Amino acid sequence: MPHTPSGGAPPGAATADRGPADRVPMSIGSVLGLLREEFPEVTVSKIRFLESEGLVEPRRTPSGYRKFSAQDVERLAFVLRMQRDHYLPLKVIREQLDARDRGEQVALPGPAQPPDLLDGAAAPLDTAGAARVGRTELLAASEITEEQLAEWESYGLLGPVENGGYPAEAVEVARLVLDLGRFGLEPRHLRAVKASADRDAGLVEQVVAPLRRHRNPQTRHRAEATARELATLAVRLHATFVQAALREQRD
């Protein structure tokens, strides 16, 4: 799949000149293979997330398997380009897709700053009123088995909260653990990642806890925004450390 620096590839460009294959429905694995020509970092979880956001709507077989058309692949490529090249939020990308569907010319945005790394990664940071998912809903949304969930719970990667159900982020965690498993990483390998995340959350909580207890309502309201900003910085720092370590090993 050729790279389009402008990010404004016309409809069908991502799957152009593929011949009869354009008309053959594709599995999510086949779509992943096509997209990775241009977007090496894309994952099955990312495609599922974009589908859950309504940016692509593959048809389903009677048994529930996704079947993507060439137009679906082109839409996914457009979304990924807009995120990579212009750092657009999904809401804006959805508006652009709607405009394209109406046959309108889509103007490319100007330069932008890199996005919040937590944007679209799962759900907002957990609060007392955050969404919960039940065990059945978690299994269905992440497409895992009871046995897999029980194993991951035994390693502390997932678990129900005190008030019942699982935090909304559990769906994305399950999908990521499943994807990492395809590379041979087992739940026991991921315990250190979970422990590191818990420590980061503890550091964030040390900073925002006094804000939550403040008498000023505006200060208390700002606590969650501060927590999100700190979490984003922690994610970026972790990613930078990993990239630096890989570079040192490679060199």
Side-chain angles (χ1 to χ4, degrees):
M1 185 179 303
H3 171 53
T4 304
S6 68
T15 53
D17 301 325
R18 295 190 183 273
D22 284 352
R23 296 182 292 275
V24 179
M26 291 170 278
S27 67
I28 194 168
S30 298
V31 171
L32 184 64
L34 288 175
L35 291 174
R36 277 186 170 167
E37 294 179 26
E38 182 177 345
F39 311 98
E41 73 285 352
V42 72
T43 64
V44 168
S45 292
K46 178 69 171 183
I47 296 174
R48 288 171 176 159
F49 173 74
L50 295 177
E51 178 190 358
S52 70
E53 291 294 308
L55 296 167
V56 63
E57 297 181 356
R59 71 176 181 85
R60 295 273 187 157
T61 66
S63 56
Y65 290 101
R66 299 172 176 84
K67 290 298 180 180
F68 294 79
S69 67
Q71 184 181 13
D72 292 330
V73 178
E74 195 279 328
R75 286 175 69 88
L76 287 169
F78 178 86
V79 173
L80 294 172
R81 288 191 195 105
M82 291 297 101
Q83 289 186 314
R84 180 194 63 196
D85 299 341
H86 301 285
Y87 307 118
L88 293 182
L90 293 182
K91 178 181 179 181
V92 175
I93 297 175
R94 185 181 294 107
E95 293 171 354
Q96 291 197 344
L97 284 171
D98 291 342
R100 292 197 335 157
D101 291 342
R102 295 191 298 268
E104 300 174 9
Q105 185 67 31
V106 176
L108 292 178
Q113 294 296 319
D116 183 335
L117 292 184
L118 299 180
D119 183 31
L125 292 175
D126 193 23
T127 64
R132 298 282 188 264
V133 294
R135 190 178 186 88
T136 301
E137 185 180 0
L138 172 59
L139 292 170
S142 56
E143 299 181 354
I144 61 174
T145 65
E146 281 276 5
E147 292 75 15
Q148 287 173 311
L149 179 55
E151 180 186 15
W152 299 349
E153 286 181 324
S154 71
Y155 284 100
L157 302 179
L158 287 168
V161 294
E162 293 182 0
N163 296 331
Y166 295 79
E169 293 87 351
V171 174
E172 185 67 6
V173 169
R175 291 171 176 173
L176 290 171
V177 172
L178 191 64
D179 285 341
L180 288 167
R182 296 189 178 98
F183 291 88
L185 292 175
E186 300 178 7
R188 59 188 176 88
H189 299 137
L190 303 178
R191 287 184 296 181
V193 179
K194 177 62 165 62
S196 177
D198 289 341
R199 288 193 295 270
D200 289 345
L203 290 174
V204 172
E205 184 60 25
Q206 288 180 27
V207 176
V208 301
L211 299 179
R212 293 196 179 105
R213 297 192 297 266
H214 202 278
R215 289 184 298 176
N216 189 323
Q218 293 182 344
T219 301
R220 294 197 301 270
H221 179 74
R222 195 170 67 246
E224 298 311 315
T226 301
R228 185 174 180 83
E229 183 177 359
L230 288 171
T232 299
L233 292 173
V235 169
R236 289 175 176 166
L237 179 61
H238 179 81
T240 303
F241 280 147
V242 171
Q243 291 171 353
L246 289 173
R247 185 176 296 107
E248 289 179 5
Q249 295 175 12
R250 184 175 66 248
D251 296 341

